[in-house]
Structure formats: C-alpha cells, structure tokens
Amino acid sequence: MSNVELPTIKRTPLTIIIGFTGGLFFILFYEAFHFFHFIPKNALMPSWEFLAPAWQKGIVPHILWWLMICAISIIWALLYQWTVKKSDTMWPGIFINVILFAIIFILLGWWMEIGPNVTELKHHSIISFCCLFILHGAFVGFSISYDEPYTDNEKHSR
C-alpha cells in the first residue's frame, strides 16, 4: 500500500489554473466592492475605443475586461512561479501586489495620467483597491508556494 503513487499535475498547467482562478476572484471581488459602493465601476477598466459605438455600451467591454484581468493574472502567476516560488509563505505575493498597486495607481494614474488617478478616488476606494490587490497576491502567492517545501523533501528522500 505504501507504493501507491498519487496523480500529480505539472507545475505550469497548475500555475495557469491558479492564475486564471485568481483573476476570476479579483473580478468577483471587484464587482462585489462596486455593488456595495466601495469602488467606482470603471476605475480600472480601460476605454475600448476600437469597439463599435453600439458595442461600447453593452456587455462586450466587460467581457473583454474580464478576459484581460484573467490573462494578466495568469502572466503574473507564471512570473511568480519562475521567480519566487521557493518561499513558503504568502508574503512575497502580497508584497509584489502592493508594488503593482503602487505602480498602477501612483505611477500610471497620478504621475503619468494614463491610469486611475489616486487623488480623484475617495479614501474607502483606495483602501478597497489595496485590499483587493493584497487578497489577489495572497491567493496566488500562497497557492503557488504552498507545496514547494513538501515536493523538495519528497525529491530528496527518494
């Protein structure tokens, strides 16, 4: 009974699934924060000027934005896996997402004026966005780094 091998999932497909799921959680919490009036609806969503005017007011821009968030989350998860997966805590994921929050809101929004401007948002919106980014970083970072110490021990014990 001790010789039974459990099925395993390769690292990269698992990371893609974790990234996609993290993106979905990000979107769901974003929509919930908007529902409870913590954040404005279109604070992060770009304007889709390449779409036909009739499509810009429908569900198409939202679907494109949801797909964009999931794709960015997958890329972020792959970069995390290739760089800091050896850490056995969620703190690197949180730290990286706090830096991402600062880049999006301070560098792009306030300084370069091509993203959401942090000076135009209310305090509870800024705190909600920061919590959203921290939650995403904790989920993706911990999900990727969770089993790393255990898999290393199994490799060395054989």
Side-chain angles (χ1 to χ4, degrees):
M1 183 108 178
S2 64
N3 294 335
V4 175
E5 285 195 29
L6 298 174
T8 59
I9 300 175
K10 301 277 186 198
R11 290 265 181 200
T12 304
L14 181 63
T15 301
I16 291 171
I17 292 169
I18 290 169
F20 183 77
T21 307
L24 286 178
F25 282 148
F26 187 91
I27 291 165
L28 291 175
F29 279 105
Y30 184 90
E31 296 293 335
F33 285 178
H34 169 67
F35 179 77
F36 291 113
H37 303 289
F38 291 136
I39 58 175
K41 178 69 172 173
N42 297 329
L44 289 179
M45 191 166 77
S47 61
W48 305 99
E49 297 169 356
F50 63 89
L51 290 176
W55 285 17
Q56 288 181 356
K57 296 188 180 12
I59 191 75
V60 175
H62 294 284
I63 292 173
L64 286 175
W65 184 70
W66 296 340
L67 291 173
M68 183 182 77
I69 291 294
C70 287
I72 290 171
S73 182
I74 290 170
I75 292 168
W76 186 93
L78 287 170
L79 289 174
Y80 183 89
Q81 179 205 6
W82 293 329
T83 56
V84 291
K85 71 176 177 187
K86 296 273 186 207
S87 66
D88 58 348
T89 66
M90 64 185 159
W91 291 109
I94 292 172
F95 181 70
I96 292 170
N97 264 31
V98 168
I99 291 173
L100 182 65
F101 169 79
I103 288 171
I104 289 174
F105 282 93
I106 295 172
L107 182 67
L108 295 179
W110 178 64
W111 190 52
M112 297 178 76
E113 298 178 358
I114 58 174
N117 193 344
V118 75
T119 59
E120 295 174 359
L121 294 174
K122 296 178 182 176
H123 292 2
H124 65 293
S125 295
I126 296 169
I127 293 169
S128 297
F129 275 121
C130 191
C131 290
L132 187 62
F133 277 82
I134 288 172
L135 185 65
H136 179 265
F139 173 76
V140 174
F142 190 73
S143 296
I144 291 173
S145 297
Y146 174 72
D147 66 341
E148 187 65 31
Y150 304 110
T151 56
D152 283 344
N153 290 340
E154 288 175 7
K155 289 177 188 174
H156 293 302
S157 66
R158 289 183 187 178

